[in-house]
Amino acid sequence: MHTTSFQNELESCRNQKCVHLSTKDVDTGAQLVAGFISALDPDEALKIRRKIDRHIMPLMCVLYWIQFMDKTTLGYASVLGIQQATNLTTNELGTVFYLSYLLFEYPQNLALQKFPVGKWMSINIFVWAVALACHAACKNFAGLLVVRLLLGACEGSITAGFLIVTSMFYTRTEQTLRVGYWFLMNGTAQVVAGFISFGVLHIHTKGFEPWQWLMIITGMMTVILAISFWFLFPDSPTNAWFLTPDERVKAVQRIKARPLNELVSALVLHSAQENQTGVENKHFKMEQMIEALTDPKTWLFALFSALNNVPNSLTNQQSLIIASLGFSVLQTTLLSCVPGVIEILTIFTGVRLAARRPNSRAYIGAMYFVPSWFGILLVNLLPWSNQAGLLVGQFLAETSVPGFVLSLSWLNIVTAGHTKRIVTNAIMLSAYCVGNAAGPFMWKTQYKPRNHVPWAVIGACYVVCPVLLLVIRAILVRENRIRDAEPVDASEEYVIERTTEDGNHVEIKIDKASSPNRCWLFAYKC
C-alpha cells in the first residue's frame, strides 16, 4: 500500500465521523485488508476458492469421516462381541460420551477462539486416537467409561472448529455446500465402518477378538490423520501456508466483498459485503456474548438441535435392530452400510437444492422429514414377520439428516461477529449433546423387539423439528423487513491506526462487520 493511498484514507476520515478502534477489537481479516478498497476480479476470486478447496476440503472430509466412524465403533463392536467380553450396557456408554461432549463443548469453543484452530484440533484428534485404540485394552465398564469420556471431550472441538474454519474461508453462499460436503462424510463413515467390521470378522487370532481389531485399526487411522492435520491444516486465511501473501489478502477480500460485477454504489456503506460476519478475532467480546444469549434465534436453533438429535441414538442401535430381525452377523454388518448410503444421497441433494434456490433452507430441510414420517409408520404398523418392510421403514427414517446439516450452515450464516459465532455454535452443539445423551435412554429392554415407545418419541421429534425450521424462517423474514426499513448511517466509519514504511502514523478504514459496534444493515439468509 503506497503512502498516497493512506493519505486518501486519512482525508476521507477527516470528512466523516470516525470511530478509533484498538487492533484487539478488530478481526484479523479486517486488519489484513485494511485500506484495500479495490474490487476483486471474479476470475481471480474463483481461482483462489479452488485453491482453498484443494487444500482444506479433503482434510475436512477425511477427518469428519474418521471422527464419525470412531464414535460409532461401539455400535459395530456390539455385534462383534464387545458386550459379552466386557458385560457392557451400550446405552449407558452412549450417554456418557455425549455428557462428556456437553461438559467440554463451551471450553472447547473458547479454546478454538484463543488458540490456532488447526493446531488445537490436531491435539484433540491425537488424544482421541490414543483413547480409541485403548478401547481394545478395556476389560470392563470402568475402563470403557474412561476412554468414552476422553472421546466425548475431544469431539467437542471438531464440528465447532469446522464451522469456524468454513466461515473464515468461504462466502455465505459457499458455506451451505461445504458444510454439507464434510457432513455427508458421516454416511461414508457408516459404509466404511461396515466393511471394516465385515473384514475383522474374518481375522482369527487367539486372545484378540474382532472388536479389539476394529478399535486398533480405526485408532491407527486417526493417529495418521492427527499428524497430517498438524502440518497441513491452516488456522485462518491470514496465515494459510498454501496461499501467497497477496493471495491471503485476496482470500479475505473474497469473503468480505462481492466480486467486481456484483459491487453497487452502496459499497461505501459496506452493504455489499458478502459475509458481513468477520473472519477471526482472538479477543473475547462480552457484548457479543450477551447478544447471542438474548437472541431468540439462538435458542430456537438450540431446541431444533436437541430434538433433531434424540433420534440419533438409532446410529448405535441400528446393528442391534437389524440383527433382531433375524439376520446373521455378516448380513447385519453389510446391511448397516445402507443408512450411510442414504445419508450421503440425502445430504448431497439437500445442500445442492439449498444452494440453487436462495432463501429456501427451511423449506428444503422440512421437506426431508416427510419420508421419515412414512418410515416410522411402517416400522410401527407392519407385522414383525415382514422383514423387508420393516427394513425399508427403518431406512426411510434416516432421510431427515439434511435438516440438521442445513441448520448448522444457516446458523453460521445469520450470526455476525466472531465471539457471537463462538457462543451460538457452543449453545447449538451443547443442545446437540443433550439430544444425543437423552436418546439412548429410550431403548429399554421392556420395549423390545418392536420398540414402539422409542419410535413414537422419534416420530414426535420429527413432527416438531420441521415446524421449528419454518418458525425460524418466519422470524428472519420479519427481522429483514424491519432492518430494511431502518435508515443506514453513512457518515460513521471505523478506523485503526497503522504506521507506514516512512514512519508516519495514518488512519485506515476497516469494514463495519469487524467492528465492536455493528450498526450496519445485515440481511439474514432464510
Side-chain angles (χ1 to χ4, degrees), residues 38-49 250-251 253-254 257-263:
S38 59
L40 183 63
D41 181 74
D43 292 334
E44 195 165 14
L46 180 61
K47 180 181 177 183
I48 291 172
R49 194 207 73 193
K250 291 174 180 176
Q253 259 190 310
R254 194 182 75 83
R258 296 181 191 270
L260 181 61
N261 61 347
E262 295 181 23
L263 282 170

mmCIF file of all heavy atoms in Angstrom, residues 38-49 250-251 253-254 257-263:
data_model
loop_
_atom_site.group_PDB
_atom_site.id
_atom_site.type_symbol
_atom_site.label_atom_id
_atom_site.label_comp_id
_atom_site.label_asym_id
_atom_site.label_seq_id
_atom_site.Cartn_x
_atom_site.Cartn_y
_atom_site.Cartn_z
ATOM 1 N N SER A 38 -10.181 -1.688 -3.498
ATOM 2 C CA SER A 38 -10.427 -2.082 -4.887
ATOM 3 C C SER A 38 -11.170 -3.406 -4.930
ATOM 4 O O SER A 38 -11.023 -4.248 -4.056
ATOM 5 C CB SER A 38 -9.097 -2.206 -5.644
ATOM 6 O OG SER A 38 -8.275 -3.164 -5.030
ATOM 7 N N ALA A 39 -11.980 -3.567 -5.972
ATOM 8 C CA ALA A 39 -12.769 -4.788 -6.115
ATOM 9 C C ALA A 39 -11.899 -5.943 -6.595
ATOM 10 O O ALA A 39 -10.893 -5.754 -7.262
ATOM 11 C CB ALA A 39 -13.901 -4.552 -7.100
ATOM 12 N N LEU A 40 -12.305 -7.150 -6.209
ATOM 13 C CA LEU A 40 -11.577 -8.350 -6.598
ATOM 14 C C LEU A 40 -12.190 -8.915 -7.876
ATOM 15 O O LEU A 40 -13.406 -9.083 -7.975
ATOM 16 C CB LEU A 40 -11.646 -9.379 -5.473
ATOM 17 C CG LEU A 40 -10.877 -10.683 -5.661
ATOM 18 C CD1 LEU A 40 -9.382 -10.420 -5.777
ATOM 19 C CD2 LEU A 40 -11.152 -11.628 -4.488
ATOM 20 N N ASP A 41 -11.331 -9.213 -8.846
ATOM 21 C CA ASP A 41 -11.790 -9.759 -10.111
ATOM 22 C C ASP A 41 -12.440 -11.128 -9.889
ATOM 23 O O ASP A 41 -11.892 -11.970 -9.173
ATOM 24 C CB ASP A 41 -10.606 -9.890 -11.074
ATOM 25 C CG ASP A 41 -11.043 -10.443 -12.419
ATOM 26 O OD1 ASP A 41 -11.675 -9.702 -13.185
ATOM 27 O OD2 ASP A 41 -10.750 -11.639 -12.689
ATOM 28 N N PRO A 42 -13.610 -11.391 -10.474
ATOM 29 C CA PRO A 42 -14.309 -12.673 -10.254
ATOM 30 C C PRO A 42 -13.486 -13.891 -10.620
ATOM 31 O O PRO A 42 -13.534 -14.909 -9.924
ATOM 32 C CB PRO A 42 -15.540 -12.550 -11.160
ATOM 33 C CG PRO A 42 -15.751 -11.096 -11.332
ATOM 34 C CD PRO A 42 -14.401 -10.470 -11.309
ATOM 35 N N ASP A 43 -12.720 -13.830 -11.718
ATOM 36 C CA ASP A 43 -11.893 -14.968 -12.124
ATOM 37 C C ASP A 43 -10.806 -15.254 -11.100
ATOM 38 O O ASP A 43 -10.498 -16.414 -10.804
ATOM 39 C CB ASP A 43 -11.267 -14.703 -13.501
ATOM 40 C CG ASP A 43 -12.303 -14.689 -14.609
ATOM 41 O OD1 ASP A 43 -13.357 -15.339 -14.434
ATOM 42 O OD2 ASP A 43 -12.070 -14.022 -15.636
ATOM 43 N N GLU A 44 -10.240 -14.173 -10.547
ATOM 44 C CA GLU A 44 -9.187 -14.350 -9.543
ATOM 45 C C GLU A 44 -9.777 -14.907 -8.252
ATOM 46 O O GLU A 44 -9.175 -15.764 -7.595
ATOM 47 C CB GLU A 44 -8.513 -12.998 -9.278
ATOM 48 C CG GLU A 44 -7.194 -13.124 -8.554
ATOM 49 C CD GLU A 44 -6.386 -11.838 -8.626
ATOM 50 O OE1 GLU A 44 -6.944 -10.796 -8.998
ATOM 51 O OE2 GLU A 44 -5.191 -11.890 -8.306
ATOM 52 N N ALA A 45 -10.984 -14.442 -7.901
ATOM 53 C CA ALA A 45 -11.664 -14.953 -6.710
ATOM 54 C C ALA A 45 -11.959 -16.450 -6.861
ATOM 55 O O ALA A 45 -11.790 -17.230 -5.919
ATOM 56 C CB ALA A 45 -12.957 -14.181 -6.476
ATOM 57 N N LEU A 46 -12.389 -16.855 -8.056
ATOM 58 C CA LEU A 46 -12.679 -18.263 -8.326
ATOM 59 C C LEU A 46 -11.419 -19.114 -8.232
ATOM 60 O O LEU A 46 -11.435 -20.222 -7.680
ATOM 61 C CB LEU A 46 -13.315 -18.410 -9.708
ATOM 62 C CG LEU A 46 -13.684 -19.828 -10.149
ATOM 63 C CD1 LEU A 46 -14.702 -20.449 -9.208
ATOM 64 C CD2 LEU A 46 -14.220 -19.820 -11.585
ATOM 65 N N LYS A 47 -10.315 -18.590 -8.751
ATOM 66 C CA LYS A 47 -9.040 -19.305 -8.710
ATOM 67 C C LYS A 47 -8.594 -19.538 -7.263
ATOM 68 O O LYS A 47 -8.141 -20.635 -6.904
ATOM 69 C CB LYS A 47 -7.984 -18.497 -9.463
ATOM 70 C CG LYS A 47 -6.615 -19.144 -9.492
ATOM 71 C CD LYS A 47 -5.617 -18.259 -10.236
ATOM 72 C CE LYS A 47 -4.211 -18.868 -10.199
ATOM 73 N NZ LYS A 47 -3.222 -17.973 -10.875
ATOM 74 N N ILE A 48 -8.754 -18.527 -6.425
ATOM 75 C CA ILE A 48 -8.366 -18.658 -5.018
ATOM 76 C C ILE A 48 -9.286 -19.638 -4.293
ATOM 77 O O ILE A 48 -8.832 -20.463 -3.498
ATOM 78 C CB ILE A 48 -8.382 -17.281 -4.335
ATOM 79 C CG1 ILE A 48 -7.235 -16.412 -4.891
ATOM 80 C CG2 ILE A 48 -8.245 -17.410 -2.821
ATOM 81 C CD1 ILE A 48 -7.272 -14.979 -4.436
ATOM 82 N N ARG A 49 -10.591 -19.570 -4.597
ATOM 83 C CA ARG A 49 -11.517 -20.507 -3.951
ATOM 84 C C ARG A 49 -11.183 -21.952 -4.300
ATOM 85 O O ARG A 49 -11.228 -22.841 -3.447
ATOM 86 C CB ARG A 49 -12.950 -20.188 -4.376
ATOM 87 C CG ARG A 49 -14.004 -20.891 -3.493
ATOM 88 C CD ARG A 49 -15.281 -21.125 -4.236
ATOM 89 N NE ARG A 49 -15.139 -22.193 -5.212
ATOM 90 C CZ ARG A 49 -16.027 -22.433 -6.178
ATOM 91 N NH1 ARG A 49 -17.090 -21.660 -6.306
ATOM 92 N NH2 ARG A 49 -15.844 -23.426 -7.029
ATOM 93 N N LYS A 250 -6.345 -11.401 -0.765
ATOM 94 C CA LYS A 250 -7.469 -11.583 -1.680
ATOM 95 C C LYS A 250 -8.468 -12.628 -1.163
ATOM 96 O O LYS A 250 -9.662 -12.538 -1.440
ATOM 97 C CB LYS A 250 -6.951 -11.962 -3.061
ATOM 98 C CG LYS A 250 -6.221 -10.803 -3.749
ATOM 99 C CD LYS A 250 -5.580 -11.220 -5.051
ATOM 100 C CE LYS A 250 -4.867 -10.032 -5.695
ATOM 101 N NZ LYS A 250 -4.150 -10.411 -6.922
ATOM 102 N N ALA A 251 -7.968 -13.614 -0.417
ATOM 103 C CA ALA A 251 -8.864 -14.621 0.158
ATOM 104 C C ALA A 251 -9.796 -13.983 1.175
ATOM 105 O O ALA A 251 -10.987 -14.332 1.262
ATOM 106 C CB ALA A 251 -8.052 -15.734 0.821
ATOM 107 N N GLN A 253 -10.470 -10.639 1.178
ATOM 108 C CA GLN A 253 -11.286 -9.740 0.356
ATOM 109 C C GLN A 253 -12.459 -10.494 -0.278
ATOM 110 O O GLN A 253 -13.572 -9.990 -0.378
ATOM 111 C CB GLN A 253 -10.432 -9.133 -0.759
ATOM 112 C CG GLN A 253 -9.970 -7.709 -0.502
ATOM 113 C CD GLN A 253 -9.343 -7.122 -1.748
ATOM 114 O OE1 GLN A 253 -8.462 -7.741 -2.361
ATOM 115 N NE2 GLN A 253 -9.792 -5.949 -2.133
ATOM 116 N N ARG A 254 -12.184 -11.716 -0.703
ATOM 117 C CA ARG A 254 -13.174 -12.528 -1.408
ATOM 118 C C ARG A 254 -14.405 -12.777 -0.551
ATOM 119 O O ARG A 254 -15.529 -12.775 -1.047
ATOM 120 C CB ARG A 254 -12.532 -13.861 -1.788
ATOM 121 C CG ARG A 254 -13.308 -14.680 -2.792
ATOM 122 C CD ARG A 254 -12.607 -15.996 -3.044
ATOM 123 N NE ARG A 254 -12.797 -16.905 -1.929
ATOM 124 C CZ ARG A 254 -13.865 -17.670 -1.760
ATOM 125 N NH1 ARG A 254 -14.853 -17.618 -2.623
ATOM 126 N NH2 ARG A 254 -13.961 -18.468 -0.719
ATOM 127 N N ALA A 257 -16.022 -8.954 0.504
ATOM 128 C CA ALA A 257 -16.633 -8.091 -0.512
ATOM 129 C C ALA A 257 -17.004 -8.906 -1.725
ATOM 130 O O ALA A 257 -16.314 -9.837 -2.112
ATOM 131 C CB ALA A 257 -15.656 -6.989 -0.917
ATOM 132 N N ARG A 258 -18.109 -8.541 -2.354
ATOM 133 C CA ARG A 258 -18.548 -9.238 -3.557
ATOM 134 C C ARG A 258 -17.579 -8.960 -4.698
ATOM 135 O O ARG A 258 -16.909 -7.940 -4.715
ATOM 136 C CB ARG A 258 -19.949 -8.763 -3.969
ATOM 137 C CG ARG A 258 -21.027 -9.086 -2.952
ATOM 138 C CD ARG A 258 -22.357 -8.599 -3.462
ATOM 139 N NE ARG A 258 -23.357 -8.649 -2.414
ATOM 140 C CZ ARG A 258 -24.130 -9.689 -2.176
ATOM 141 N NH1 ARG A 258 -24.003 -10.756 -2.907
ATOM 142 N NH2 ARG A 258 -25.017 -9.655 -1.214
ATOM 143 N N PRO A 259 -17.497 -9.835 -5.682
ATOM 144 C CA PRO A 259 -16.660 -9.585 -6.841
ATOM 145 C C PRO A 259 -17.087 -8.326 -7.586
ATOM 146 O O PRO A 259 -18.167 -7.786 -7.365
ATOM 147 C CB PRO A 259 -16.865 -10.834 -7.715
ATOM 148 C CG PRO A 259 -17.278 -11.892 -6.751
ATOM 149 C CD PRO A 259 -18.089 -11.179 -5.710
ATOM 150 N N LEU A 260 -16.245 -7.894 -8.523
ATOM 151 C CA LEU A 260 -16.412 -6.626 -9.233
ATOM 152 C C LEU A 260 -17.798 -6.474 -9.852
ATOM 153 O O LEU A 260 -18.432 -5.432 -9.734
ATOM 154 C CB LEU A 260 -15.327 -6.517 -10.309
ATOM 155 C CG LEU A 260 -15.313 -5.249 -11.157
ATOM 156 C CD1 LEU A 260 -15.083 -4.035 -10.289
ATOM 157 C CD2 LEU A 260 -14.252 -5.351 -12.241
ATOM 158 N N ASN A 261 -18.275 -7.513 -10.503
ATOM 159 C CA ASN A 261 -19.548 -7.381 -11.214
ATOM 160 C C ASN A 261 -20.751 -7.356 -10.283
ATOM 161 O O ASN A 261 -21.869 -7.220 -10.730
ATOM 162 C CB ASN A 261 -19.702 -8.512 -12.246
ATOM 163 C CG ASN A 261 -19.707 -9.873 -11.594
ATOM 164 O OD1 ASN A 261 -19.359 -10.012 -10.431
ATOM 165 N ND2 ASN A 261 -20.091 -10.892 -12.358
ATOM 166 N N GLU A 262 -20.538 -7.531 -8.973
ATOM 167 C CA GLU A 262 -21.645 -7.505 -8.023
ATOM 168 C C GLU A 262 -21.637 -6.246 -7.158
ATOM 169 O O GLU A 262 -22.537 -6.035 -6.352
ATOM 170 C CB GLU A 262 -21.604 -8.746 -7.123
ATOM 171 C CG GLU A 262 -21.818 -10.040 -7.881
ATOM 172 C CD GLU A 262 -21.786 -11.238 -6.950
ATOM 173 O OE1 GLU A 262 -22.023 -11.073 -5.754
ATOM 174 O OE2 GLU A 262 -21.504 -12.333 -7.441
ATOM 175 N N LEU A 263 -20.572 -5.424 -7.298
ATOM 176 C CA LEU A 263 -20.491 -4.232 -6.473
ATOM 177 C C LEU A 263 -21.526 -3.208 -6.911
ATOM 178 O O LEU A 263 -21.806 -3.048 -8.084
ATOM 179 C CB LEU A 263 -19.090 -3.616 -6.570
ATOM 180 C CG LEU A 263 -18.020 -4.325 -5.738
ATOM 181 C CD1 LEU A 263 -16.660 -3.794 -6.108
ATOM 182 C CD2 LEU A 263 -18.274 -4.138 -4.266
#
